Amino acid sequence: MTDVITGEMIWQKSVRANPQAFYEEMRQTSPIFKGIGPMTGNTFWFFTHYDDVVSVLKDQRFGKEFRKHLTPEEAAAFGPEPAPDDMFAVINRHLLNVDPPDHTRLRALVHKAFTPRMVENLRPRITEIADDLLNDMEGKSEVDLLDSFAFPLPITVIAEMLGIAPEDRIKFREWTRVLLFDPDMDNNMASIMEFTSYMNAKIDEYQQTPADNILSALIQAEEGGDSLDRMELLSMIFLLLVAGHETTVNLIGNGTLALMQHRDQLEKLHNDPALIKTAVEELLRWNGPVETPTTRWAFEDVEISGVTIPKGDMVLPSLLAANRDPAMFENPNTLDITRDPNRHIAFGHGIHYCVGAPLARLEGTIAINALLARFPNIDLAVPEESLEWAENLLLHGMRALPVRL
């Protein structure tokens, strides 16, 4: 591996719209790319082979809390350490940004809300929400599927789980969208302050009057001695809101697009809805909702497939690329909704495996089957090349999905 690439290659709009063609070439020429971040100038390593990606995700020599492992001089490359009262730190002390033992403690707390039994109990309510949204779409010739269906379904579910009033859900959409996609720091700061002010009031409310929801349960865990402080609580809520709806938005959006692009698979699923379980797994593999996991750093020199990743460098294992690796998947560029087994890693791997994966799967299976049952002739309402994709490397999804019903 000798090529040094610039970060612009990965962030180009043409690559964001069709990353798999780029990753296929990358796997063949330099499966472990050394790049330079276009904004930061920092070195990063981009992985495209399935086995390499899994190795990085499992190896705890790669982790989140780099300041605990690097010298002050090494850590300075990634900016100054945030002050304890830094507003951005308030929403970033969550599962995806900490290593054990804090990660172990936080995950144990939130896992209680996402057990298979707890998630399955949500099936009737998710079905009801999907049917209501589809009823609202009836009689319309064209809609933005993301705005009309893919977004409101999961945000309604996670908001209800957190005890957020229906009239306040649009606020959460705006806050999370700004914090994920808006580069304007003033807008980001305003959203953080509004979010934390709102949630602090909610926390105070549920401390006084406990309720049957996740937020109240997390508050009680804090009071019960699990040492979940206010910052961790706010960060956990933010993570649940983002991870609890953005991944499902992209699963439904990307999955529906894939089916519209492969009419034979769409018709097969419409004619046999019992295929939905393997169909959703294949849609997750084909064009999953997450591009790369949140950033990790090498805590020491680590060798992967003969390449040494120096201590202090960032690593970006690509879930999308891994899920099309021909070394793992037969005919990886063929969409096959009956594919089984299907060892995709769309939800990550290792200790940071997505805690909300069971909920996203359930929402995806209910939503896609209900959509095809109601609108079997659904099709793109615009040329495919006009679709705009998010330009970051975290969430892989479209800004809008205009469809004809």
Side-chain angles (χ1 to χ4, degrees), residues 144 146-148 150-152 155 168-181 191 241 245-246 249 399-400:
D144 175 359
L146 302 190
D147 272 345
S148 298
F151 170 77
I155 194 65
D168 291 335
R169 289 168 198 161
I170 191 65
K171 297 178 184 177
F172 285 89
R173 181 185 193 186
E174 293 305 316
W175 293 333
T176 56
R177 286 286 179 176
V178 167
L179 292 169
L180 288 171
F181 304 116
S191 292
L241 282 166
H245 81 271
E246 285 289 348
V249 172
R399 300 188 184 280

Side-chain angles (χ1 to χ4, degrees), residues 38-41 63 72 75 90 106 129 156 161 168-169 171 176 178 186 198 208 210 231 235 260 317 375:
M39 300 296 291
T40 64
V90 168
L106 294 175
I129 295 168
T156 301
M161 292 175 73
D168 291 335
R169 289 168 198 161
K171 297 178 184 177
T176 56
V178 167
D186 289 338
Y198 179 95
Q208 295 297 319
M231 180 183 288
S235 293
M260 292 187 295
F375 302 111

Side-chain angles (χ1 to χ4, degrees), residues 19-33 46-53 285 318-329 332-333:
Q20 293 297 353
F22 182 73
Y23 295 154
E24 186 168 348
E25 180 180 355
M26 190 183 285
R27 268 194 306 271
Q28 295 172 1
T29 57
S30 297
I32 301 178
F33 261 116
F46 201 84
F47 299 80
T48 54
H49 274 176
Y50 183 98
D51 286 347
D52 292 340
V53 170
R285 182 196 72 85
S318 174
L319 304 180
L320 291 186
N323 285 335
R324 296 280 191 100
D325 187 349
M328 173 55 63
F329 302 98
N333 294 318

